[in-house]
Amino acid sequence: MIRPAISIIVPVYNDELHLRACVDSLLTQSFTDFEIILVNDGSTDGSGKICDDFAVKDARVRVIHKHNGGVSSARNIGVAAARGEYIGFVDGDDRIETNMYVELHTLCVETDSDIAICRLGREINGELMNNDPRPFVKELDHNEAIARLFEGVLYRFSLCNKLFKKTCFEGVSFPEGRIHEDLSSTYRLFANANKAIYSNFIGYIYVKRENSILTSTYSEKRLDAFLGWDEILTFMNDRYKHLTHTVITCFLYWCIDNVFYILKQVENRRDRNQYLGVIQQCVKKHYKEIMSSKISMKHRMIITLLNYNVRLLTISYSLRGAIFDTSS
C-alpha cells in the first residue's frame, strides 16, 4: 500500500452543520497526496452518515467510528491509524485555505524541518480577521522553536495551524478527558523536533462559534489548563532551564487572564473561590520562580494576593483597586 505524504486527522462530534464545508475545504485543496481520517467520536446527530458519505465519494477519506471519548481520544486514535509521513489536524467545524498543506509540506521538505507553522486566521460572522501581513518566513532551530512557542508572538499552542513529522509523536499522546489538550501536548511535540519553520501566510481558518466552551461564560473545565501547566513547568524546568523566564512569563499571563475571567464572569462566591483556589495551588508550587522573574508591579501584586489569600484578592477586585484598573 502506498503511503500518503500527509494524514489529516479530523475529530468529529455533532458537527453536521459545518462538517461538509470542512471536509470540502480539505478535498479541494491544491495538495493531493493525503488521507483524511474522520474520527466520529460518538456523534448523536447526522455527522456519522456525512463521514461515511465522504468515504464513499473519495478513496482518500477513511472513517473511524468510536464511542464518545472527547477530542483527545479521537486524536489519539487518528494518530495511531495515520499512514502519512506528516500529520495535520483540522477541527470539524473549521476550514483551511486552498494552499495550506502544499505550503506547509513544501516548507518541511525544502528546509528539512520537522514542524511547519502558518498563521491562524479567525472568521467572525463571516469576516476573516488579521489578513494583511507582509510575507515572512523564519527557520528555527530546536531551542528557538520552543522558545517562540512560549513567547506566543509568532505562534501559540494550537495544533491546527501546524504540520508535524510523524516522528514528533513518539512517546506523546493527548490527555484524555481534558480540554486545552493543545496546551498539554504541543510543547512535547516541539521537544521531539530538531527544527521548525514558520511562515506568516494564513492557512487555517478558525470559525468562532457563540456556543464554544472557550468563548462562552467561564466554565470549570477551563481549569484543565492548570493540570497542563503543572506538567509543562516540571518538564521545562527539567529539560530547558535556560528558558525558565520565557516559560514562567507565559504561565503568569495565563494565570492573570483566568483570574480576570473568573472575577468578572463567575458570580457564585463558592464557585469563584473554588476556581481561584485551583489556580492558587498551581501558583504556590512555582511562586518562587514567578517572583524571581521580571514582571510588572501590578502583576506581582495580583499573584501575591492569589498566592496568600483568595478572599483578599476578590475583595480587592470588588473595591476596584489600582491593580485591577485595566485602563493603565
Side-chain angles (χ1 to χ4, degrees):
M1 181 179 294
I2 299 176
R3 293 176 57 192
I6 300 176
S7 295
I8 305 170
I9 298 168
V10 184
V12 176
Y13 179 71
N14 289 357
D15 291 319
E16 66 177 351
L17 294 178
H18 314 288
L19 184 58
R20 287 187 178 86
C22 171
V23 180
D24 281 338
S25 77
L26 301 180
L27 292 173
T28 57
Q29 65 180 302
S30 53
F31 193 84
T32 58
D33 187 11
F34 63 85
E35 64 175 355
I36 299 172
I37 303 176
L38 301 176
V39 184
N40 177 30
D41 188 37
S43 295
T44 57
D45 64 0
S47 297
K49 183 178 186 308
I50 293 172
C51 291
D52 291 336
D53 288 345
F54 274 113
V56 170
K57 293 176 184 176
D58 197 307
R60 296 172 297 177
V61 179
R62 299 166 58 197
V63 180
I64 299 173
H65 295 285
K66 62 181 288 292
H67 293 296
N68 181 253
V71 173
S72 289
S73 172
R75 284 177 173 170
N76 286 334
I77 286 178
V79 170
R83 299 186 296 232
E85 183 182 3
Y86 296 89
I87 294 179
F89 298 91
V90 175
D91 289 338
D93 55 354
D94 294 332
R95 60 182 177 84
I96 68 168
E97 294 288 13
T98 304
N99 294 324
M100 174 175 155
Y101 280 119
V102 72
E103 294 277 358
L104 293 181
H105 185 261
T106 299
L107 287 168
C108 278
V109 172
E110 290 185 350
T111 64
D112 193 26
S113 295
D114 300 307
I115 303 174
I117 309 142
C118 65
R119 289 181 73 210
L120 182 71
R122 294 187 181 273
E123 183 179 286
I124 302 176
N125 298 324
E127 182 179 355
L128 184 62
M129 304 288 105
N130 61 337
N131 192 25
D132 58 348
R134 295 180 180 180
F136 173 75
V137 177
K138 183 172 179 60
E139 295 183 44
L140 306 134
D141 65 23
H142 174 79
N143 282 299
E144 187 178 6
I146 294 178
R148 296 281 186 164
L149 179 67
F150 286 95
E151 286 173 6
V153 177
L154 290 183
Y155 50 87
R156 300 190 180 189
F157 296 95
S158 172
L159 287 166
C160 292
N161 62 330
K162 302 172 178 68
L163 182 66
F164 301 90
K165 188 169 282 188
K166 192 175 183 181
T167 53
C168 292
F169 289 86
E170 292 177 4
V172 179
S173 61
F174 298 103
E176 300 190 13
R178 297 188 201 170
I179 67 167
H180 294 298
E181 60 282 340
D182 292 9
L183 172 71
S184 297
S185 54
T186 304
Y187 71 101
R188 291 183 178 270
L189 298 175
F190 273 76
N192 282 344
N194 293 316
K195 181 180 177 183
I197 184 162
Y198 169 81
S199 176
N200 70 341
F201 77 93
I202 291 181
Y204 189 90
I205 309 302
Y206 167 71
V207 184
K208 185 175 180 180
R209 311 289 180 194
E210 292 183 0
N211 61 348
S212 168
I213 192 170
L214 298 181
T215 57
S216 56
T217 301
Y218 198 92
S219 163
E220 184 177 7
K221 284 296 293 177
R222 293 176 70 169
L223 296 170
D224 286 352
F226 294 95
L227 294 173
W229 269 111
D230 200 32
E231 296 164 355
I232 290 169
L233 293 166
T234 299
F235 180 92
M236 295 299 292
N237 186 58
D238 288 344
R239 296 181 56 174
Y240 300 94
K241 206 167 185 64
H242 61 289
L243 296 177
T244 294
H245 172 69
T246 301
V247 175
I248 286 292
T249 300
C250 183
F251 171 61
L252 169 69
Y253 282 112
W254 201 286
C255 290
I256 296 294
D257 281 349
N258 277 266
V259 165
F260 269 92
Y261 277 122
I262 291 168
L263 291 173
K264 185 177 180 180
Q265 296 183 358
V266 182
E267 296 182 358
N268 182 281
R269 184 172 63 181
R270 177 196 279 179
D271 289 345
R272 184 172 61 238
N273 290 343
Q274 178 186 335
Y275 297 172
L276 291 172
V278 172
I279 304 175
Q280 180 191 55
Q281 292 306 307
C282 197
V283 165
K284 280 181 178 294
K285 291 182 182 180
H286 308 282
Y287 183 69
K288 186 177 294 186
E289 296 96 320
I290 295 173
M291 289 296 109
S292 298
S293 297
K294 295 178 181 178
I295 60 178
S296 70
M297 183 59 68
K298 178 185 292 188
H299 290 162
R300 188 175 295 272
M301 292 174 66
I302 292 173
I303 291 297
T304 299
L305 281 173
L306 177 65
N307 181 64
Y308 287 107
N309 196 307
V310 165
R311 289 187 63 193
L312 284 178
L313 178 71
T314 58
I315 290 170
S316 177
Y317 177 77
S318 66
L319 295 175
R320 292 301 190 271
I323 61 172
F324 292 103
D325 181 4
T326 57
S327 64
S328 59

mmCIF file with all atom_site columns, all heavy atoms in Angstrom, residues 12 16 70 100 103 122 125 152 192 226 230 245 255 280 287 298 301 328:
data_model
loop_
_atom_site.group_PDB
_atom_site.id
_atom_site.type_symbol
_atom_site.label_atom_id
_atom_site.label_alt_id
_atom_site.label_comp_id
_atom_site.label_asym_id
_atom_site.label_entity_id
_atom_site.label_seq_id
_atom_site.pdbx_PDB_ins_code
_atom_site.Cartn_x
_atom_site.Cartn_y
_atom_site.Cartn_z
_atom_site.occupancy
_atom_site.B_iso_or_equiv
_atom_site.pdbx_formal_charge
_atom_site.auth_seq_id
_atom_site.auth_comp_id
_atom_site.auth_asym_id
_atom_site.auth_atom_id
_atom_site.pdbx_PDB_model_num
ATOM 1   N N   . VAL A 1 12  ? -14.590 14.365 14.984 1.00 0.00 ? 12  VAL A N   1
ATOM 2   C CA  . VAL A 1 12  ? -15.946 14.793 14.625 1.00 0.00 ? 12  VAL A CA  1
ATOM 3   C C   . VAL A 1 12  ? -16.888 14.468 15.765 1.00 0.00 ? 12  VAL A C   1
ATOM 4   O O   . VAL A 1 12  ? -16.985 13.313 16.198 1.00 0.00 ? 12  VAL A O   1
ATOM 5   C CB  . VAL A 1 12  ? -16.424 14.087 13.338 1.00 0.00 ? 12  VAL A CB  1
ATOM 6   C CG1 . VAL A 1 12  ? -17.870 14.474 13.024 1.00 0.00 ? 12  VAL A CG1 1
ATOM 7   C CG2 . VAL A 1 12  ? -15.498 14.406 12.168 1.00 0.00 ? 12  VAL A CG2 1
ATOM 8   N N   . GLU A 1 16  ? -22.673 18.263 12.197 1.00 0.00 ? 16  GLU A N   1
ATOM 9   C CA  . GLU A 1 16  ? -23.350 18.104 10.912 1.00 0.00 ? 16  GLU A CA  1
ATOM 10  C C   . GLU A 1 16  ? -23.592 19.434 10.189 1.00 0.00 ? 16  GLU A C   1
ATOM 11  O O   . GLU A 1 16  ? -23.645 19.469 8.956  1.00 0.00 ? 16  GLU A O   1
ATOM 12  C CB  . GLU A 1 16  ? -24.675 17.351 11.081 1.00 0.00 ? 16  GLU A CB  1
ATOM 13  C CG  . GLU A 1 16  ? -25.731 18.075 11.873 1.00 0.00 ? 16  GLU A CG  1
ATOM 14  C CD  . GLU A 1 16  ? -27.039 17.283 11.926 1.00 0.00 ? 16  GLU A CD  1
ATOM 15  O OE1 . GLU A 1 16  ? -27.157 16.275 11.209 1.00 0.00 ? 16  GLU A OE1 1
ATOM 16  O OE2 . GLU A 1 16  ? -27.942 17.668 12.687 1.00 0.00 ? 16  GLU A OE2 1
ATOM 17  N N   . GLY A 1 70  ? -14.151 12.242 23.695 1.00 0.00 ? 70  GLY A N   1
ATOM 18  C CA  . GLY A 1 70  ? -13.549 13.564 23.683 1.00 0.00 ? 70  GLY A CA  1
ATOM 19  C C   . GLY A 1 70  ? -12.525 13.732 22.571 1.00 0.00 ? 70  GLY A C   1
ATOM 20  O O   . GLY A 1 70  ? -12.104 12.770 21.920 1.00 0.00 ? 70  GLY A O   1
ATOM 21  N N   . MET A 1 100 ? -2.942  25.631 1.971  1.00 0.00 ? 100 MET A N   1
ATOM 22  C CA  . MET A 1 100 ? -2.331  25.451 3.282  1.00 0.00 ? 100 MET A CA  1
ATOM 23  C C   . MET A 1 100 ? -1.347  24.286 3.321  1.00 0.00 ? 100 MET A C   1
ATOM 24  O O   . MET A 1 100 ? -0.182  24.439 3.703  1.00 0.00 ? 100 MET A O   1
ATOM 25  C CB  . MET A 1 100 ? -3.395  25.260 4.362  1.00 0.00 ? 100 MET A CB  1
ATOM 26  C CG  . MET A 1 100 ? -2.800  24.933 5.730  1.00 0.00 ? 100 MET A CG  1
ATOM 27  S SD  . MET A 1 100 ? -4.045  24.855 7.034  1.00 0.00 ? 100 MET A SD  1
ATOM 28  C CE  . MET A 1 100 ? -3.228  23.774 8.207  1.00 0.00 ? 100 MET A CE  1
ATOM 29  N N   . GLU A 1 103 ? 1.781   24.421 0.991  1.00 0.00 ? 103 GLU A N   1
ATOM 30  C CA  . GLU A 1 103 ? 2.773   25.366 1.529  1.00 0.00 ? 103 GLU A CA  1
ATOM 31  C C   . GLU A 1 103 ? 3.522   24.751 2.700  1.00 0.00 ? 103 GLU A C   1
ATOM 32  O O   . GLU A 1 103 ? 4.755   24.797 2.773  1.00 0.00 ? 103 GLU A O   1
ATOM 33  C CB  . GLU A 1 103 ? 2.082   26.659 1.965  1.00 0.00 ? 103 GLU A CB  1
ATOM 34  C CG  . GLU A 1 103 ? 1.462   27.461 0.835  1.00 0.00 ? 103 GLU A CG  1
ATOM 35  C CD  . GLU A 1 103 ? 2.477   28.353 0.133  1.00 0.00 ? 103 GLU A CD  1
ATOM 36  O OE1 . GLU A 1 103 ? 3.646   28.374 0.559  1.00 0.00 ? 103 GLU A OE1 1
ATOM 37  O OE2 . GLU A 1 103 ? 2.092   29.016 -0.846 1.00 0.00 ? 103 GLU A OE2 1
ATOM 38  N N   . ARG A 1 122 ? -8.913  34.021 11.905 1.00 0.00 ? 122 ARG A N   1
ATOM 39  C CA  . ARG A 1 122 ? -10.170 33.917 12.660 1.00 0.00 ? 122 ARG A CA  1
ATOM 40  C C   . ARG A 1 122 ? -11.306 34.506 11.836 1.00 0.00 ? 122 ARG A C   1
ATOM 41  O O   . ARG A 1 122 ? -11.216 35.626 11.360 1.00 0.00 ? 122 ARG A O   1
ATOM 42  C CB  . ARG A 1 122 ? -10.052 34.637 14.006 1.00 0.00 ? 122 ARG A CB  1
ATOM 43  C CG  . ARG A 1 122 ? -9.068  33.974 14.941 1.00 0.00 ? 122 ARG A CG  1
ATOM 44  C CD  . ARG A 1 122 ? -9.084  34.607 16.334 1.00 0.00 ? 122 ARG A CD  1
ATOM 45  N NE  . ARG A 1 122 ? -8.113  33.953 17.203 1.00 0.00 ? 122 ARG A NE  1
ATOM 46  C CZ  . ARG A 1 122 ? -8.349  32.874 17.912 1.00 0.00 ? 122 ARG A CZ  1
ATOM 47  N NH1 . ARG A 1 122 ? -9.547  32.324 17.875 1.00 0.00 ? 122 ARG A NH1 1
ATOM 48  N NH2 . ARG A 1 122 ? -7.418  32.331 18.664 1.00 0.00 ? 122 ARG A NH2 1
ATOM 49  N N   . ASN A 1 125 ? -18.437 36.061 12.195 1.00 0.00 ? 125 ASN A N   1
ATOM 50  C CA  . ASN A 1 125 ? -19.611 36.499 11.425 1.00 0.00 ? 125 ASN A CA  1
ATOM 51  C C   . ASN A 1 125 ? -19.297 36.575 9.931  1.00 0.00 ? 125 ASN A C   1
ATOM 52  O O   . ASN A 1 125 ? -19.708 37.508 9.236  1.00 0.00 ? 125 ASN A O   1
ATOM 53  C CB  . ASN A 1 125 ? -20.104 37.864 11.931 1.00 0.00 ? 125 ASN A CB  1
ATOM 54  C CG  . ASN A 1 125 ? -20.561 37.811 13.371 1.00 0.00 ? 125 ASN A CG  1
ATOM 55  O OD1 . ASN A 1 125 ? -21.139 36.817 13.807 1.00 0.00 ? 125 ASN A OD1 1
ATOM 56  N ND2 . ASN A 1 125 ? -20.299 38.868 14.121 1.00 0.00 ? 125 ASN A ND2 1
ATOM 57  N N   . GLY A 1 152 ? 4.780   33.250 22.286 1.00 0.00 ? 152 GLY A N   1
ATOM 58  C CA  . GLY A 1 152 ? 3.424   33.456 21.783 1.00 0.00 ? 152 GLY A CA  1
ATOM 59  C C   . GLY A 1 152 ? 3.253   34.607 20.824 1.00 0.00 ? 152 GLY A C   1
ATOM 60  O O   . GLY A 1 152 ? 2.145   35.112 20.663 1.00 0.00 ? 152 GLY A O   1
ATOM 61  N N   . ASN A 1 192 ? 10.352  17.078 20.555 1.00 0.00 ? 192 ASN A N   1
ATOM 62  C CA  . ASN A 1 192 ? 10.794  15.955 19.713 1.00 0.00 ? 192 ASN A CA  1
ATOM 63  C C   . ASN A 1 192 ? 11.261  16.395 18.333 1.00 0.00 ? 192 ASN A C   1
ATOM 64  O O   . ASN A 1 192 ? 11.642  15.559 17.512 1.00 0.00 ? 192 ASN A O   1
ATOM 65  C CB  . ASN A 1 192 ? 9.662   14.939 19.548 1.00 0.00 ? 192 ASN A CB  1
ATOM 66  C CG  . ASN A 1 192 ? 9.481   14.052 20.763 1.00 0.00 ? 192 ASN A CG  1
ATOM 67  O OD1 . ASN A 1 192 ? 10.352  13.977 21.623 1.00 0.00 ? 192 ASN A OD1 1
ATOM 68  N ND2 . ASN A 1 192 ? 8.345   13.375 20.837 1.00 0.00 ? 192 ASN A ND2 1
ATOM 69  N N   . PHE A 1 226 ? -4.591  24.188 33.960 1.00 0.00 ? 226 PHE A N   1
ATOM 70  C CA  . PHE A 1 226 ? -3.600  24.233 35.034 1.00 0.00 ? 226 PHE A CA  1
ATOM 71  C C   . PHE A 1 226 ? -3.067  22.848 35.385 1.00 0.00 ? 226 PHE A C   1
ATOM 72  O O   . PHE A 1 226 ? -1.973  22.733 35.951 1.00 0.00 ? 226 PHE A O   1
ATOM 73  C CB  . PHE A 1 226 ? -4.168  24.987 36.234 1.00 0.00 ? 226 PHE A CB  1
ATOM 74  C CG  . PHE A 1 226 ? -4.383  26.436 35.900 1.00 0.00 ? 226 PHE A CG  1
ATOM 75  C CD1 . PHE A 1 226 ? -5.628  26.886 35.474 1.00 0.00 ? 226 PHE A CD1 1
ATOM 76  C CD2 . PHE A 1 226 ? -3.329  27.319 35.927 1.00 0.00 ? 226 PHE A CD2 1
ATOM 77  C CE1 . PHE A 1 226 ? -5.818  28.207 35.105 1.00 0.00 ? 226 PHE A CE1 1
ATOM 78  C CE2 . PHE A 1 226 ? -3.505  28.646 35.561 1.00 0.00 ? 226 PHE A CE2 1
ATOM 79  C CZ  . PHE A 1 226 ? -4.750  29.092 35.145 1.00 0.00 ? 226 PHE A CZ  1
ATOM 80  N N   . ASP A 1 230 ? 1.002   22.532 35.162 1.00 0.00 ? 230 ASP A N   1
ATOM 81  C CA  . ASP A 1 230 ? 1.810   21.863 36.184 1.00 0.00 ? 230 ASP A CA  1
ATOM 82  C C   . ASP A 1 230 ? 2.788   20.885 35.524 1.00 0.00 ? 230 ASP A C   1
ATOM 83  O O   . ASP A 1 230 ? 3.970   20.800 35.900 1.00 0.00 ? 230 ASP A O   1
ATOM 84  C CB  . ASP A 1 230 ? 0.894   21.141 37.174 1.00 0.00 ? 230 ASP A CB  1
ATOM 85  C CG  . ASP A 1 230 ? 1.584   20.854 38.495 1.00 0.00 ? 230 ASP A CG  1
ATOM 86  O OD1 . ASP A 1 230 ? 2.445   21.652 38.904 1.00 0.00 ? 230 ASP A OD1 1
ATOM 87  O OD2 . ASP A 1 230 ? 1.279   19.822 39.107 1.00 0.00 ? 230 ASP A OD2 1
ATOM 88  N N   . HIS A 1 245 ? 12.579  31.893 32.322 1.00 0.00 ? 245 HIS A N   1
ATOM 89  C CA  . HIS A 1 245 ? 11.898  33.191 32.334 1.00 0.00 ? 245 HIS A CA  1
ATOM 90  C C   . HIS A 1 245 ? 10.791  33.242 31.281 1.00 0.00 ? 245 HIS A C   1
ATOM 91  O O   . HIS A 1 245 ? 9.676   33.707 31.558 1.00 0.00 ? 245 HIS A O   1
ATOM 92  C CB  . HIS A 1 245 ? 12.895  34.326 32.085 1.00 0.00 ? 245 HIS A CB  1
ATOM 93  C CG  . HIS A 1 245 ? 12.231  35.662 31.907 1.00 0.00 ? 245 HIS A CG  1
ATOM 94  N ND1 . HIS A 1 245 ? 11.589  36.316 32.938 1.00 0.00 ? 245 HIS A ND1 1
ATOM 95  C CD2 . HIS A 1 245 ? 12.070  36.446 30.806 1.00 0.00 ? 245 HIS A CD2 1
ATOM 96  C CE1 . HIS A 1 245 ? 11.081  37.455 32.491 1.00 0.00 ? 245 HIS A CE1 1
ATOM 97  N NE2 . HIS A 1 245 ? 11.356  37.543 31.202 1.00 0.00 ? 245 HIS A NE2 1
ATOM 98  N N   . CYS A 1 255 ? -2.293  32.742 33.979 1.00 0.00 ? 255 CYS A N   1
ATOM 99  C CA  . CYS A 1 255 ? -2.923  32.876 35.300 1.00 0.00 ? 255 CYS A CA  1
ATOM 100 C C   . CYS A 1 255 ? -3.724  34.167 35.399 1.00 0.00 ? 255 CYS A C   1
ATOM 101 O O   . CYS A 1 255 ? -4.887  34.167 35.823 1.00 0.00 ? 255 CYS A O   1
ATOM 102 C CB  . CYS A 1 255 ? -1.858  32.862 36.398 1.00 0.00 ? 255 CYS A CB  1
ATOM 103 S SG  . CYS A 1 255 ? -1.042  31.283 36.660 1.00 0.00 ? 255 CYS A SG  1
ATOM 104 N N   . GLN A 1 280 ? -4.552  29.000 42.417 1.00 0.00 ? 280 GLN A N   1
ATOM 105 C CA  . GLN A 1 280 ? -3.683  29.283 43.562 1.00 0.00 ? 280 GLN A CA  1
ATOM 106 C C   . GLN A 1 280 ? -2.742  28.117 43.857 1.00 0.00 ? 280 GLN A C   1
ATOM 107 O O   . GLN A 1 280 ? -1.548  28.309 44.101 1.00 0.00 ? 280 GLN A O   1
ATOM 108 C CB  . GLN A 1 280 ? -4.536  29.592 44.795 1.00 0.00 ? 280 GLN A CB  1
ATOM 109 C CG  . GLN A 1 280 ? -3.731  29.910 46.051 1.00 0.00 ? 280 GLN A CG  1
ATOM 110 C CD  . GLN A 1 280 ? -4.609  29.940 47.284 1.00 0.00 ? 280 GLN A CD  1
ATOM 111 O OE1 . GLN A 1 280 ? -5.320  28.975 47.568 1.00 0.00 ? 280 GLN A OE1 1
ATOM 112 N NE2 . GLN A 1 280 ? -4.601  31.060 48.001 1.00 0.00 ? 280 GLN A NE2 1
ATOM 113 N N   . TYR A 1 287 ? 5.727   29.625 42.905 1.00 0.00 ? 287 TYR A N   1
ATOM 114 C CA  . TYR A 1 287 ? 5.692   31.033 43.318 1.00 0.00 ? 287 TYR A CA  1
ATOM 115 C C   . TYR A 1 287 ? 7.082   31.660 43.316 1.00 0.00 ? 287 TYR A C   1
ATOM 116 O O   . TYR A 1 287 ? 7.271   32.795 42.877 1.00 0.00 ? 287 TYR A O   1
ATOM 117 C CB  . TYR A 1 287 ? 5.055   31.143 44.704 1.00 0.00 ? 287 TYR A CB  1
ATOM 118 C CG  . TYR A 1 287 ? 4.895   32.555 45.206 1.00 0.00 ? 287 TYR A CG  1
ATOM 119 C CD1 . TYR A 1 287 ? 3.981   33.425 44.607 1.00 0.00 ? 287 TYR A CD1 1
ATOM 120 C CD2 . TYR A 1 287 ? 5.643   33.018 46.288 1.00 0.00 ? 287 TYR A CD2 1
ATOM 121 C CE1 . TYR A 1 287 ? 3.821   34.716 45.061 1.00 0.00 ? 287 TYR A CE1 1
ATOM 122 C CE2 . TYR A 1 287 ? 5.487   34.312 46.756 1.00 0.00 ? 287 TYR A CE2 1
ATOM 123 C CZ  . TYR A 1 287 ? 4.578   35.158 46.144 1.00 0.00 ? 287 TYR A CZ  1
ATOM 124 O OH  . TYR A 1 287 ? 4.422   36.436 46.594 1.00 0.00 ? 287 TYR A OH  1
ATOM 125 N N   . LYS A 1 298 ? 2.069   45.554 39.033 1.00 0.00 ? 298 LYS A N   1
ATOM 126 C CA  . LYS A 1 298 ? 0.650   45.210 39.086 1.00 0.00 ? 298 LYS A CA  1
ATOM 127 C C   . LYS A 1 298 ? 0.461   43.695 39.105 1.00 0.00 ? 298 LYS A C   1
ATOM 128 O O   . LYS A 1 298 ? -0.267  43.156 39.944 1.00 0.00 ? 298 LYS A O   1
ATOM 129 C CB  . LYS A 1 298 ? -0.083  45.817 37.887 1.00 0.00 ? 298 LYS A CB  1
ATOM 130 C CG  . LYS A 1 298 ? -1.563  45.474 37.833 1.00 0.00 ? 298 LYS A CG  1
ATOM 131 C CD  . LYS A 1 298 ? -2.218  46.003 36.562 1.00 0.00 ? 298 LYS A CD  1
ATOM 132 C CE  . LYS A 1 298 ? -2.266  47.508 36.566 1.00 0.00 ? 298 LYS A CE  1
ATOM 133 N NZ  . LYS A 1 298 ? -3.075  48.026 35.426 1.00 0.00 ? 298 LYS A NZ  1
ATOM 134 N N   . MET A 1 301 ? 1.600   42.075 42.343 1.00 0.00 ? 301 MET A N   1
ATOM 135 C CA  . MET A 1 301 ? 0.648   42.229 43.451 1.00 0.00 ? 301 MET A CA  1
ATOM 136 C C   . MET A 1 301 ? -0.513  41.250 43.315 1.00 0.00 ? 301 MET A C   1
ATOM 137 O O   . MET A 1 301 ? -0.970  40.670 44.298 1.00 0.00 ? 301 MET A O   1
ATOM 138 C CB  . MET A 1 301 ? 0.148   43.674 43.507 1.00 0.00 ? 301 MET A CB  1
ATOM 139 C CG  . MET A 1 301 ? 1.215   44.682 43.917 1.00 0.00 ? 301 MET A CG  1
ATOM 140 S SD  . MET A 1 301 ? 0.634   46.396 43.809 1.00 0.00 ? 301 MET A SD  1
ATOM 141 C CE  . MET A 1 301 ? -0.614  46.389 45.093 1.00 0.00 ? 301 MET A CE  1
ATOM 142 N N   . SER A 1 328 ? -4.842  51.202 32.636 1.00 0.00 ? 328 SER A N   1
ATOM 143 C CA  . SER A 1 328 ? -3.405  51.544 32.701 1.00 0.00 ? 328 SER A CA  1
ATOM 144 C C   . SER A 1 328 ? -2.562  50.358 32.270 1.00 0.00 ? 328 SER A C   1
ATOM 145 O O   . SER A 1 328 ? -3.036  49.261 32.127 1.00 0.00 ? 328 SER A O   1
ATOM 146 C CB  . SER A 1 328 ? -3.036  51.949 34.117 1.00 0.00 ? 328 SER A CB  1
ATOM 147 O OG  . SER A 1 328 ? -3.313  50.904 35.034 1.00 0.00 ? 328 SER A OG  1
#
